[in-house]
Coordinates of all heavy atoms in Angstrom, one line a residue:
M19 N 87.4 159.2 -152.4 CA 87.1 157.8 -152.5 C 85.7 157.7 -153.1 O 84.8 158.6 -152.9 CB 87.0 157.2 -151.1 CG 86.4 155.8 -151.1 SD 86.6 154.8 -149.6 CE 88.2 154.2 -149.9
T20 N 85.5 156.7 -153.9 CA 84.2 156.5 -154.5 C 83.4 155.5 -153.7 O 83.9 154.4 -153.4 CB 84.4 155.9 -155.9 OG1 85.1 156.8 -156.7 CG2 83.0 155.6 -156.6
W21 N 82.3 155.9 -153.2 CA 81.4 155.0 -152.4 C 80.3 154.5 -153.2 O 79.8 155.1 -154.1 CB 80.9 155.9 -151.2 CG 81.9 156.4 -150.3 CD1 82.5 157.6 -150.3 CD2 82.5 155.6 -149.2 NE1 83.4 157.7 -149.3 CE2 83.4 156.5 -148.6 CE3 82.4 154.3 -148.7 CZ2 84.2 156.1 -147.5 CZ3 83.1 153.9 -147.7 CH2 84.0 154.8 -147.1
H22 N 79.8 153.3 -152.8 CA 78.7 152.6 -153.5 C 77.8 151.9 -152.5 O 78.3 151.1 -151.7 CB 79.3 151.6 -154.5 CG 78.2 150.8 -155.2 ND1 77.4 151.4 -156.1 CD2 77.8 149.5 -155.0 CE1 76.5 150.4 -156.5 NE2 76.8 149.3 -155.9
L23 N 76.5 152.2 -152.5 CA 75.6 151.5 -151.6 C 75.2 150.2 -152.4 O 74.8 150.2 -153.5 CB 74.3 152.3 -151.4 CG 73.2 151.6 -150.7 CD1 73.6 151.4 -149.2 CD2 71.9 152.3 -150.8
E24 N 75.5 149.1 -151.7 CA 75.2 147.8 -152.3 C 73.7 147.6 -152.3 O 73.0 147.8 -151.3 CB 75.8 146.7 -151.4 CG 77.3 146.6 -151.5 CD 77.8 146.2 -152.9 OE1 77.3 145.2 -153.5 OE2 78.7 146.9 -153.4
R25 N 73.2 147.3 -153.5 CA 71.7 147.1 -153.6 C 71.5 145.6 -153.8 O 71.0 145.1 -154.8 CB 71.2 147.9 -154.8 CG 71.3 149.4 -154.6 CD 71.5 150.2 -155.8 NE 71.4 151.6 -155.7 CZ 72.4 152.4 -155.5 NH1 73.6 151.9 -155.3 NH2 72.3 153.7 -155.4
D26 N 71.9 144.8 -152.8 CA 71.7 143.4 -152.8 C 70.3 143.0 -152.3 O 69.5 143.9 -152.0 CB 72.7 142.7 -152.0 CG 72.8 143.2 -150.5 OD1 71.8 143.8 -150.1 OD2 73.8 142.9 -149.8
Q27 N 70.0 141.7 -152.3 CA 68.6 141.3 -152.0 C 68.2 141.7 -150.5 O 67.1 142.1 -150.3 CB 68.4 139.8 -152.2 CG 67.0 139.4 -152.1 CD 66.1 140.1 -153.2 OE1 66.4 140.1 -154.4 NE2 65.0 140.7 -152.8
L28 N 69.2 141.6 -149.6 CA 68.9 142.0 -148.2 C 68.5 143.5 -148.2 O 67.5 143.8 -147.5 CB 70.1 141.7 -147.3 CG 69.9 142.2 -145.9 CD1 68.8 141.6 -145.2 CD2 71.2 142.1 -145.1
A29 N 69.3 144.3 -148.8 CA 69.0 145.7 -148.8 C 67.6 146.0 -149.4 O 66.8 146.8 -148.9 CB 70.0 146.5 -149.6
L30 N 67.3 145.4 -150.6 CA 66.0 145.6 -151.2 C 64.9 145.1 -150.3 O 63.8 145.8 -150.2 CB 66.0 144.9 -152.5 CG 67.0 145.4 -153.6 CD1 66.9 144.5 -154.8 CD2 66.7 146.8 -153.9
D31 N 65.0 144.0 -149.6 CA 64.0 143.5 -148.7 C 63.8 144.4 -147.5 O 62.7 144.7 -147.1 CB 64.3 142.1 -148.2 CG 64.2 141.0 -149.3 OD1 63.6 141.3 -150.3 OD2 64.8 139.9 -149.1
L32 N 64.9 144.9 -147.0 CA 64.8 145.9 -145.9 C 64.2 147.2 -146.3 O 63.3 147.7 -145.6 CB 66.2 146.1 -145.3 CG 66.9 145.0 -144.5 CD1 68.3 145.3 -144.2 CD2 66.1 144.7 -143.3
I33 N 64.5 147.7 -147.5 CA 63.9 148.9 -148.0 C 62.4 148.7 -148.2 O 61.5 149.5 -147.8 CB 64.6 149.4 -149.2 CG1 66.0 149.8 -149.0 CG2 63.8 150.5 -149.9 CD1 66.8 150.0 -150.2
A34 N 62.0 147.5 -148.7 CA 60.6 147.2 -148.9 C 59.8 147.1 -147.6 O 58.6 147.3 -147.6 CB 60.5 145.9 -149.7
S35 N 60.5 146.8 -146.5 CA 59.8 146.7 -145.2 C 59.5 148.1 -144.6 O 58.7 148.1 -143.7 CB 60.7 145.9 -144.2 OG 61.8 146.6 -143.8
L36 N 60.1 149.1 -145.2 CA 59.9 150.5 -144.6 C 58.5 151.0 -145.1 O 58.0 150.6 -146.1 CB 61.0 151.4 -145.2 CG 62.4 151.1 -144.7 CD1 63.4 152.0 -145.5 CD2 62.5 151.4 -143.2
T37 N 58.0 152.0 -144.4 CA 56.8 152.7 -144.8 C 57.1 153.4 -146.1 O 58.3 153.7 -146.4 CB 56.3 153.7 -143.8 OG1 57.3 154.7 -143.6 CG2 56.0 153.0 -142.4
L38 N 56.2 153.8 -146.8 CA 56.4 154.6 -148.1 C 57.2 155.9 -147.8 O 58.1 156.2 -148.5 CB 55.1 154.8 -148.8 CG 55.2 155.3 -150.2 CD1 55.9 154.3 -151.1 CD2 53.8 155.5 -150.8
E39 N 56.8 156.6 -146.7 CA 57.5 157.8 -146.4 C 59.0 157.5 -146.1 O 59.8 158.3 -146.5 CB 56.8 158.4 -145.2 CG 57.4 159.8 -144.8 CD 56.7 160.4 -143.5 OE1 56.0 159.7 -142.8 OE2 57.0 161.6 -143.3
A40 N 59.2 156.5 -145.4 CA 60.6 156.1 -145.0 C 61.4 155.7 -146.3 O 62.6 155.9 -146.4 CB 60.7 155.0 -143.9
Q41 N 60.7 155.0 -147.2 CA 61.4 154.6 -148.4 C 61.8 155.8 -149.2 O 62.9 155.8 -149.7 CB 60.4 153.7 -149.3 CG 60.2 152.3 -148.8 CD 59.3 151.5 -149.7 OE1 59.1 151.9 -150.8 NE2 58.7 150.5 -149.1
Y42 N 60.9 156.8 -149.3 CA 61.3 158.0 -150.0 C 62.5 158.7 -149.4 O 63.4 159.1 -150.0 CB 60.1 159.0 -150.1 CG 59.0 158.6 -151.1 CD1 57.7 158.7 -150.7 CD2 59.3 158.1 -152.3 CE1 56.7 158.3 -151.6 CE2 58.3 157.7 -153.2 CZ 57.0 157.8 -152.8 OH 56.0 157.5 -153.7
A43 N 62.5 158.7 -148.0 CA 63.6 159.4 -147.3 C 64.9 158.6 -147.5 O 65.9 159.2 -147.7 CB 63.2 159.4 -145.8
F44 N 64.8 157.3 -147.6 CA 66.0 156.5 -147.8 C 66.5 156.7 -149.2 O 67.8 156.9 -149.4 CB 65.7 155.0 -147.5 CG 67.0 154.2 -147.6 CD1 67.9 154.1 -146.5 CD2 67.3 153.5 -148.8 CE1 69.1 153.4 -146.6 CE2 68.5 152.7 -148.8 CZ 69.4 152.7 -147.7
F45 N 65.7 156.7 -150.2 CA 66.1 157.0 -151.5 C 66.8 158.3 -151.7 O 67.7 158.5 -152.4 CB 65.0 156.8 -152.6 CG 64.6 155.3 -152.7 CD1 63.2 155.0 -152.7 CD2 65.5 154.3 -152.8 CE1 62.8 153.6 -152.8 CE2 65.1 153.0 -153.0 CZ 63.8 152.7 -152.9
N46 N 66.3 159.3 -150.9 CA 66.9 160.7 -150.9 C 68.2 160.7 -150.2 O 69.0 161.5 -150.4 CB 65.9 161.7 -150.3 CG 64.8 162.0 -151.2 OD1 64.9 162.0 -152.4 ND2 63.6 162.3 -150.6
L47 N 68.4 159.7 -149.3 CA 69.6 159.6 -148.5 C 70.8 159.0 -149.4 O 71.9 159.3 -149.1 CB 69.4 158.7 -147.3 CG 70.6 158.4 -146.4 CD1 71.1 159.7 -145.7 CD2 70.2 157.4 -145.3
I48 N 70.4 158.2 -150.3 CA 71.5 157.4 -151.1 C 72.5 158.3 -151.7 O 73.7 158.1 -151.5 CB 70.8 156.5 -152.1 CG1 70.1 155.4 -151.5 CG2 71.9 155.9 -153.1 CD1 69.2 154.5 -152.4
P49 N 72.2 159.4 -152.4 CA 73.3 160.3 -152.9 C 74.2 160.8 -151.9 O 75.4 160.9 -152.1 CB 72.5 161.4 -153.7 CG 71.2 160.9 -153.9 CD 70.9 159.9 -152.8
R50 N 73.6 161.2 -150.7 CA 74.5 161.7 -149.6 C 75.4 160.6 -149.1 O 76.5 160.9 -148.7 CB 73.6 162.3 -148.5 CG 72.9 163.6 -149.0 CD 72.2 164.4 -147.9 NE 72.0 163.8 -146.7 CZ 70.8 163.5 -146.2 NH1 69.7 163.7 -146.9 NH2 70.7 162.9 -145.0
L51 N 74.8 159.4 -149.0 CA 75.6 158.3 -148.5 C 76.8 158.0 -149.4 O 77.9 157.8 -149.0 CB 74.8 157.0 -148.4 CG 73.9 156.8 -147.3 CD1 73.0 155.6 -147.5 CD2 74.6 156.7 -146.0
E52 N 76.5 158.1 -150.7 CA 77.6 157.8 -151.7 C 78.5 158.9 -151.9 O 79.6 158.8 -152.5 CB 77.0 157.3 -153.0 CG 76.3 156.0 -152.9 CD 75.7 155.4 -154.2 OE1 75.3 156.2 -155.1 OE2 75.5 154.2 -154.3
D53 N 78.2 160.1 -151.4 CA 79.1 161.2 -151.4 C 80.0 161.2 -150.2 O 81.2 161.3 -150.3 CB 78.3 162.5 -151.4 CG 79.2 163.7 -151.5 OD1 80.1 163.8 -152.4 OD2 79.0 164.7 -150.7
D54 N 79.5 161.0 -149.0 CA 80.2 161.0 -147.8 C 79.4 160.3 -146.7 O 78.6 160.9 -146.0 CB 80.6 162.4 -147.3 CG 81.5 162.4 -146.1 OD1 81.7 161.3 -145.4 OD2 82.1 163.4 -145.8
P55 N 79.6 158.9 -146.6 CA 78.7 158.2 -145.6 C 78.9 158.6 -144.2 O 77.9 158.5 -143.4 CB 79.1 156.7 -145.8 CG 80.5 156.8 -146.5 CD 80.5 158.1 -147.2
D56 N 80.0 159.1 -143.8 CA 80.2 159.5 -142.4 C 79.5 160.8 -142.1 O 79.0 161.0 -141.0 CB 81.7 159.6 -142.0 CG 82.3 158.2 -142.0 OD1 81.8 157.3 -141.4 OD2 83.4 158.1 -142.6
Q57 N 79.4 161.7 -143.1 CA 78.7 162.9 -142.9 C 77.2 162.7 -142.9 O 76.4 163.4 -142.3 CB 79.1 163.9 -144.1 CG 78.5 165.3 -144.0 CD 79.1 166.1 -142.8 OE1 80.2 165.9 -142.5 NE2 78.3 167.0 -142.3
A58 N 76.7 161.7 -143.7 CA 75.3 161.5 -143.9 C 74.7 160.6 -142.7 O 73.5 160.4 -142.7 CB 75.0 160.8 -145.2
T59 N 75.5 160.1 -141.9 CA 75.1 159.2 -140.8 C 75.6 159.5 -139.5 O 76.4 160.5 -139.4 CB 75.5 157.7 -141.2 OG1 76.9 157.7 -141.3 CG2 74.9 157.2 -142.5
E60 N 75.2 158.8 -138.5 CA 75.7 159.0 -137.1 C 76.4 157.7 -136.6 O 76.0 156.6 -137.1 CB 74.6 159.3 -136.2 CG 73.9 160.6 -136.6 CD 72.7 160.9 -135.7 OE1 72.4 160.1 -134.7 OE2 72.0 161.9 -136.0
P61 N 77.3 157.7 -135.7 CA 77.9 156.5 -135.1 C 76.8 155.6 -134.6 O 75.8 156.1 -134.0 CB 78.8 157.0 -134.0 CG 79.1 158.4 -134.4 CD 77.8 158.9 -135.0
Y62 N 77.0 154.3 -134.7 CA 76.1 153.3 -134.1 C 76.8 152.3 -133.3 O 77.8 151.8 -133.7 CB 75.3 152.6 -135.2 CG 74.3 151.5 -134.7 CD1 73.1 151.9 -134.2 CD2 74.7 150.2 -134.7 CE1 72.2 151.0 -133.7 CE2 73.8 149.3 -134.2 CZ 72.6 149.7 -133.7 OH 71.7 148.7 -133.2
G63 N 76.4 152.1 -132.0 CA 77.1 151.2 -131.1 C 78.4 151.8 -130.7 O 78.6 153.0 -130.6
L64 N 79.4 150.9 -130.5 CA 80.7 151.3 -130.1 C 81.4 151.9 -131.3 O 81.6 151.3 -132.4 CB 81.5 150.1 -129.6 CG 83.0 150.4 -129.3 CD1 83.1 151.3 -128.1 CD2 83.7 149.1 -128.9
D65 N 81.7 153.2 -131.3 CA 82.3 153.9 -132.4 C 83.8 153.9 -132.2 O 84.4 154.8 -131.7 CB 81.8 155.3 -132.5 CG 82.3 156.1 -133.7 OD1 82.7 155.4 -134.7 OD2 82.3 157.3 -133.7
A66 N 84.4 152.8 -132.7 CA 85.9 152.7 -132.6 C 86.6 153.2 -133.8 O 87.8 153.2 -133.9 CB 86.2 151.2 -132.4
G67 N 85.8 153.8 -134.7 CA 86.5 154.3 -135.9 C 87.1 153.1 -136.8 O 86.6 152.0 -136.6
G68 N 88.0 153.4 -137.5 CA 88.7 152.4 -138.3 C 88.1 152.2 -139.7 O 87.2 152.9 -140.1
P69 N 88.7 151.2 -140.4 CA 88.3 151.1 -141.8 C 86.9 150.4 -142.0 O 86.3 150.5 -143.1 CB 89.4 150.2 -142.4 CG 89.9 149.4 -141.2 CD 89.8 150.4 -140.1
V70 N 86.4 149.7 -141.0 CA 85.0 149.1 -141.1 C 84.3 149.6 -139.9 O 84.8 149.4 -138.8 CB 85.1 147.6 -141.2 CG1 83.7 147.0 -141.2 CG2 85.9 147.1 -142.4
R71 N 83.1 150.1 -140.1 CA 82.3 150.7 -139.0 C 80.8 150.6 -139.2 O 80.4 150.6 -140.4 CB 82.8 152.1 -138.7 CG 82.6 153.0 -139.8 CD 83.6 154.2 -139.7 NE 83.6 155.0 -140.9 CZ 84.2 154.7 -142.0 NH1 84.9 153.6 -142.1 NH2 84.2 155.4 -143.1
M72 N 80.1 150.6 -138.1 CA 78.6 150.6 -138.2 C 78.2 152.1 -138.0 O 78.7 152.8 -137.1 CB 78.0 149.8 -137.1 CG 78.5 148.3 -137.1 SD 77.9 147.4 -138.6 CE 76.2 147.1 -138.1
R73 N 77.2 152.5 -138.8 CA 76.6 153.8 -138.7 C 75.1 153.7 -138.8 O 74.6 152.7 -139.3 CB 77.2 154.7 -139.8 CG 78.7 154.8 -140.0 CD 79.3 155.7 -139.0 NE 78.9 157.1 -139.3 CZ 79.4 158.1 -138.6 NH1 80.2 158.0 -137.6 NH2 79.0 159.4 -138.8
S74 N 74.4 154.7 -138.4 CA 73.0 154.7 -138.5 C 72.5 156.0 -139.1 O 73.1 157.0 -139.1 CB 72.4 154.6 -137.1 OG 72.6 155.8 -136.3
A75 N 71.3 155.9 -139.7 CA 70.6 157.0 -140.3 C 69.1 156.9 -139.9 O 68.5 155.9 -140.0 CB 70.7 157.0 -141.8
T76 N 68.6 158.0 -139.3 CA 67.2 158.0 -138.9 C 66.3 158.5 -140.0 O 66.6 159.5 -140.6 CB 67.1 159.0 -137.6 OG1 68.0 158.5 -136.6 CG2 65.7 159.0 -137.1
L77 N 65.3 157.7 -140.2 CA 64.2 158.0 -141.2 C 62.9 158.2 -140.5 O 62.8 157.9 -139.3 CB 64.1 156.9 -142.2 CG 65.4 156.4 -142.9 CD1 65.1 155.2 -143.7 CD2 66.0 157.5 -143.8
P78 N 61.9 158.7 -141.2 CA 60.6 158.7 -140.5 C 60.1 157.3 -140.1 O 59.9 156.5 -140.9 CB 59.7 159.3 -141.6 CG 60.6 160.0 -142.5 CD 61.9 159.2 -142.5
G79 N 60.1 157.1 -138.8 CA 59.6 155.8 -138.3 C 60.5 154.7 -138.3 O 60.1 153.5 -138.1
A80 N 61.8 154.9 -138.6 CA 62.8 153.8 -138.7 C 64.2 154.3 -138.5 O 64.5 155.5 -138.8 CB 62.7 153.1 -140.1
I81 N 65.0 153.4 -138.1 CA 66.5 153.7 -138.0 C 67.1 152.7 -138.8 O 66.9 151.5 -138.6 CB 67.0 153.6 -136.5 CG1 66.3 154.7 -135.7 CG2 68.5 153.8 -136.5 CD1 66.5 154.6 -134.2
T82 N 68.0 153.1 -139.8 CA 68.7 152.1 -140.6 C 70.1 152.0 -140.1 O 70.7 152.9 -139.6 CB 68.7 152.6 -142.1 OG1 69.4 153.9 -142.1 CG2 67.4 152.7 -142.7
I83 N 70.6 150.8 -140.1 CA 72.0 150.4 -139.7 C 72.8 150.1 -140.9 O 72.4 149.2 -141.7 CB 72.0 149.3 -138.7 CG1 71.0 149.5 -137.5 CG2 73.4 149.1 -138.1 CD1 71.2 150.8 -136.8
L84 N 73.9 150.7 -141.1 CA 74.7 150.6 -142.3 C 76.1 150.1 -141.9 O 76.7 150.6 -140.9 CB 74.8 151.9 -143.1 CG 73.4 152.4 -143.5 CD1 73.3 153.8 -143.1 CD2 73.2 152.1 -144.9
L85 N 76.7 149.2 -142.7 CA 78.1 148.8 -142.5 C 78.9 149.5 -143.6 O 78.6 149.4 -144.8 CB 78.2 147.3 -142.7 CG 79.6 146.7 -142.6 CD1 80.2 146.9 -141.1 CD2 79.6 145.2 -142.9
I86 N 79.9 150.3 -143.2 CA 80.8 151.0 -144.1 C 82.2 150.5 -144.1 O 82.8 150.3 -143.0 CB 80.8 152.5 -143.7 CG1 79.3 153.1 -143.7 CG2 81.7 153.3 -144.6 CD1 79.2 154.4 -143.2
S87 N 82.7 150.2 -145.3 CA 84.1 149.7 -145.4 C 84.9 150.7 -146.3 O 84.6 150.9 -147.4 CB 84.0 148.3 -146.1 OG 85.3 147.9 -146.4
D88 N 86.0 151.2 -145.6 CA 86.9 152.1 -146.4 C 87.7 151.3 -147.4 O 88.0 151.8 -148.5 CB 87.9 152.7 -145.4 CG 87.2 153.8 -144.5 OD1 86.2 154.3 -144.9 OD2 87.8 154.1 -143.5
S89 N 88.0 150.0 -147.1 CA 88.9 149.3 -148.0 C 88.2 148.9 -149.3 O 88.8 148.8 -150.4 CB 89.4 148.0 -147.3 OG 88.4 147.2 -146.9
T90 N 86.8 148.7 -149.3 CA 86.1 148.4 -150.5 C 85.3 149.5 -151.1 O 84.9 149.5 -152.2 CB 85.2 147.2 -150.2 OG1 84.2 147.6 -149.3 CG2 85.9 146.0 -149.8
G91 N 85.1 150.6 -150.2 CA 84.2 151.7 -150.7 C 82.8 151.3 -150.7 O 82.0 152.0 -151.4
R92 N 82.4 150.2 -150.0 CA 81.0 149.8 -150.0 C 80.3 150.2 -148.8 O 80.8 150.2 -147.7 CB 81.0 148.3 -150.2 CG 81.4 147.8 -151.5 CD 81.3 146.3 -151.7 NE 81.7 145.9 -153.0 CZ 82.1 144.7 -153.4 NH1 82.2 143.8 -152.4 NH2 82.5 144.5 -154.6
I93 N 79.0 150.4 -149.0 CA 78.1 150.7 -147.9 C 77.0 149.6 -147.9 O 76.3 149.5 -149.0 CB 77.4 152.1 -148.0 CG1 78.5 153.1 -148.1 CG2 76.5 152.4 -146.9 CD1 78.0 154.5 -148.7
N94 N 76.8 148.9 -146.9 CA 75.7 147.8 -146.8 C 74.7 148.2 -145.8 O 75.0 148.5 -144.7 CB 76.3 146.5 -146.5 CG 77.2 146.0 -147.6 OD1 78.4 146.3 -147.6 ND2 76.7 145.2 -148.5
L95 N 73.4 148.1 -146.3 CA 72.3 148.2 -145.3 C 72.1 146.9 -144.7 O 71.9 145.9 -145.4 CB 71.0 148.6 -146.1 CG 69.7 148.7 -145.3 CD1 69.8 149.8 -144.2 CD2 68.6 149.0 -146.2
V96 N 72.3 146.8 -143.3 CA 72.2 145.5 -142.7 C 71.0 145.3 -141.7 O 70.7 144.2 -141.4 CB 73.6 145.3 -141.9 CG1 74.7 145.2 -142.8 CG2 73.8 146.4 -140.8
A97 N 70.4 146.4 -141.4 CA 69.2 146.3 -140.5 C 68.3 147.5 -140.5 O 68.8 148.6 -140.8 CB 69.6 146.0 -139.0
V98 N 67.1 147.3 -140.2 CA 66.1 148.4 -140.0 C 65.5 148.2 -138.6 O 65.0 147.1 -138.3 CB 65.0 148.4 -141.1 CG1 64.0 149.4 -140.8 CG2 65.7 148.7 -142.5
I99 N 65.5 149.2 -137.8 CA 65.0 149.1 -136.5 C 63.8 150.1 -136.3 O 63.8 151.2 -136.8 CB 66.1 149.6 -135.4 CG1 67.2 148.6 -135.5 CG2 65.5 149.6 -134.0 CD1 68.4 149.1 -134.7
D100 N 62.7 149.6 -135.7 CA 61.6 150.4 -135.4 C 61.8 151.1 -134.1 O 61.9 150.4 -133.0 CB 60.3 149.5 -135.3 CG 59.0 150.3 -135.0 OD1 59.1 151.5 -134.6 OD2 58.0 149.7 -135.1
P101 N 62.0 152.4 -134.0 CA 62.3 153.1 -132.8 C 61.2 153.1 -131.8 O 61.4 153.3 -130.6 CB 62.6 154.5 -133.2 CG 61.9 154.7 -134.5 CD 61.9 153.3 -135.2
H102 N 60.0 152.7 -132.2 CA 58.8 152.7 -131.3 C 58.6 151.3 -130.7 O 57.7 151.1 -129.9 CB 57.6 153.2 -132.0 CG 57.8 154.6 -132.6 ND1 58.1 155.7 -131.8 CD2 57.9 155.0 -133.9 CE1 58.3 156.7 -132.6 NE2 58.2 156.3 -133.9
A103 N 59.3 150.3 -131.2 CA 59.1 148.9 -130.7 C 59.6 148.8 -129.3 O 60.7 149.4 -129.0 CB 59.8 147.9 -131.6
G104 N 58.9 148.1 -128.5 CA 59.3 148.1 -127.1 C 59.8 146.8 -126.7 O 60.5 146.3 -126.0

């Protein structure tokens, strides 16, 4: 399957909110996401499997939440979480 990380305005804004170190780590993650998003990420929340699922990737100082769709081959960055926020 051909995978594609959607580079929409939400994704660009979320990436811009990351520290510079985390931005570099995310840009390095993109080729791995587009090769095999399940291998490059970990389950997030209830991992029910299926054609649409939420996955996470840990970066320096941030956790990214991604929505993966088998039917469209798209990967959407939907949230960035600060793991140190209380």
